[in-house]
Amino acid sequence: MIRKIISKYLFLSILAFPLGVFASPEQTQNPQEEESFTDVIMHHISDSHEYHLLDWQGTPVTLPLPIILWTENGLVTFLSSEFHHDDKGEVIVEKKGLYFVRVHGQIHYTDANGTLSYNNDHKLENPRPLDFSITKNVVLLFLIALIMFLAFTAVARSYKKNPKAPKGFANLLETLVVFVRDDIAVPNIGNHKYERYMPYLLTVFFLILIGNLLGLVPIISGTLTNDIVFTGTLAVITFLITTFSGNRNYWQHIFATPGVPKWLAPIMIPVEIIGMLTKPFSLMIRLFANITAGHVIILSLIGLIFTLKTIFVSPVSVGFSLFISILELLVAFIQAYVFTLLSALFIGGAVAEERH
């Protein structure tokens, strides 16, 4: 079953690969300099206010998303399509007597003339409204949540029909759930306390796994797990669960480490607190860096064709890109496993009882 799914996925990825990479107008029409292709890579892996679907005959096909801003004049909403481009650049949007301009994916206040103010370090000084827009990554999050809801409700219905011997997709999901329970939760949290944290561990595992897999489909044109805000949010949730689950033994090891002289407390306590804070930081960076690096490598390999300005390097670039894409399929599972494992390990350390 798994082998069939993997083979079908790889076949579809190979077919969709040219649509997601070679069809981009920046890559096919503006290969003059390496810096411009770097901008294409950063644009591909970054969040945006519209969802780029594909390019049809040189024209980008995008899905406009709602812009939601809290300004000095209250709530302002409009579609991202109003930030279209003309020959002079991005158009200024006027709402409720305020003017907005989008620079490098961020919305700033401006005036009717589109005046931008830069400091000596060439940083834009125009103030920004509070941005609560539905961005591309938010759409991906909704899509992943919908996939998870449909998948597990389908599994629940199959269990009602055949509770003893699940088949097909239900059997696959049961294998993954049992894996998270028996190989991650129970060994690290314990037989008596793991059930309390299973809903979170399963949610994190499947959320990251599905997000990683969707990011490998080029036509999806985005990866949720290479957004440091998303990985940081998951890391903070793990930190909060660990902190509020900590028992007396856990806090004693932080503020009064057994066997350590009291005169070392002013040194040990800050060290232990720093150790608490570095755990969510490592969770955030590990997932973000591994997923982002994979996409950058693939796009960089494709960029060799335009950087060297020869088609003869394309077999090497495409061949290595497909190899990295297959490797990323393995990384998608590994990163979901590692994040869930470390979360369970941190939680288990917080709820572990003192052993004599």
Side-chain angles (χ1 to χ4, degrees), residues 33 40 83 91 126 134 159 215 239 259 331 344:
E33 54 185 4
V40 172
F83 278 125
V91 170
N126 291 49
I134 305 299
Y159 268 95
F239 173 74
V331 172

Side-chain angles (χ1 to χ4, degrees), residues 38 61 72 98-99 119 140 159 177 185 284 291 298 326 338 344:
T38 301
V61 179
E72 55 193 46
L98 299 173
Y99 297 91
N119 59 20
L140 287 174
Y159 268 95
V177 170
M284 174 185 67
I291 301 302
I298 293 173
I326 297 173
V338 169

Side-chain angles (χ1 to χ4, degrees), residues 218-250:
I219 201 170
I220 295 295
S221 183
T223 306
L224 181 61
T225 47
N226 73 349
D227 188 343
I228 197 168
V229 176
F230 172 76
T231 60
T233 301
L234 292 183
V236 168
I237 294 175
T238 297
F239 173 74
L240 293 176
I241 293 175
T242 302
T243 302
F244 288 104
S245 298
N247 55 21
R248 180 177 179 273
N249 180 57
Y250 174 74

Side-chain angles (χ1 to χ4, degrees), residues 10-286:
L10 292 177
F11 177 71
L12 291 174
S13 297
I14 293 172
L15 289 180
F17 191 81
L19 294 177
V21 177
F22 295 112
S24 176
E26 293 97 342
Q27 297 173 18
T28 56
Q29 298 177 9
N30 299 312
Q32 288 84 1
E33 54 185 4
E34 183 178 0
E35 185 179 359
S36 63
F37 192 83
T38 301
D39 294 336
V40 172
I41 294 177
M42 298 308 298
H43 176 74
H44 177 80
I45 66 175
S46 60
D47 199 5
S48 64
H49 288 97
E50 58 271 329
Y51 203 110
H52 180 268
L53 300 175
L54 51 88
D55 293 279
W56 182 256
Q57 296 180 350
T59 302
V61 179
T62 59
L63 175 67
L65 300 175
I67 302 291
I68 305 173
L69 305 175
W70 182 258
T71 69
E72 55 193 46
N73 291 345
L75 187 66
V76 173
T77 60
F78 55 93
L79 288 179
S80 61
S81 56
E82 296 195 34
F83 278 125
H84 62 277
H85 291 74
D86 57 16
D87 296 336
K88 298 181 180 180
E90 196 146 18
V91 170
I92 301 168
V93 175
E94 188 273 329
K95 298 290 180 181
K96 290 189 176 181
L98 299 173
Y99 297 91
F100 306 96
V101 65
R102 186 171 58 180
V103 181
H104 299 302
Q106 296 180 346
I107 299 175
H108 296 262
Y109 290 111
T110 186
D111 54 24
N113 298 321
T115 304
L116 299 177
S117 176
Y118 293 88
N119 59 20
N120 295 331
D121 296 328
H122 303 287
K123 292 183 180 180
L124 188 61
E125 292 185 331
N126 291 49
R128 296 175 56 194
L130 293 178
D131 193 348
F132 299 97
S133 304
I134 305 299
T135 62
K136 178 178 69 173
N137 284 347
V138 177
V139 173
L140 287 174
L141 181 60
F142 290 158
L143 177 60
I144 295 171
L146 179 62
I147 292 174
M148 293 176 62
F149 175 78
L150 295 177
F152 284 98
T153 51
V155 171
R157 288 194 298 268
S158 68
Y159 268 95
K160 289 182 179 180
K161 297 179 181 179
N162 188 10
K164 294 184 179 180
K167 298 180 180 180
F169 184 67
N171 188 29
L172 174 62
L173 283 187
E174 181 185 354
T175 302
L176 294 175
V177 170
V178 171
F179 168 75
V180 173
R181 183 193 66 185
D182 293 347
D183 292 346
I184 297 178
V186 173
N188 293 285
I189 301 178
N191 289 309
H192 303 291
K193 299 181 179 181
Y194 79 92
E195 292 183 354
R196 180 182 179 185
Y197 304 98
M198 275 295 292
Y200 173 69
L201 296 178
L202 287 174
T203 301
V204 168
F205 179 81
F206 284 102
L207 184 63
I208 295 175
L209 178 60
I210 297 175
N212 291 344
L213 293 178
L214 286 180
L216 295 177
V217 181
I219 201 170
I220 295 295
S221 183
T223 306
L224 181 61
T225 47
N226 73 349
D227 188 343
I228 197 168
V229 176
F230 172 76
T231 60
T233 301
L234 292 183
V236 168
I237 294 175
T238 297
F239 173 74
L240 293 176
I241 293 175
T242 302
T243 302
F244 288 104
S245 298
N247 55 21
R248 180 177 179 273
N249 180 57
Y250 174 74
W251 294 111
Q252 182 181 4
H253 276 75
I254 293 176
F255 293 102
T257 307
V260 175
K262 294 183 178 180
W263 61 270
L264 281 178
I267 300 176
M268 293 300 300
I269 292 176
V271 170
E272 292 291 341
I273 293 176
I274 292 174
M276 289 176 56
L277 299 177
T278 55
K279 290 177 181 178
F281 183 78
S282 65
L283 280 178
M284 174 185 67
I285 295 299
R286 179 182 287 105

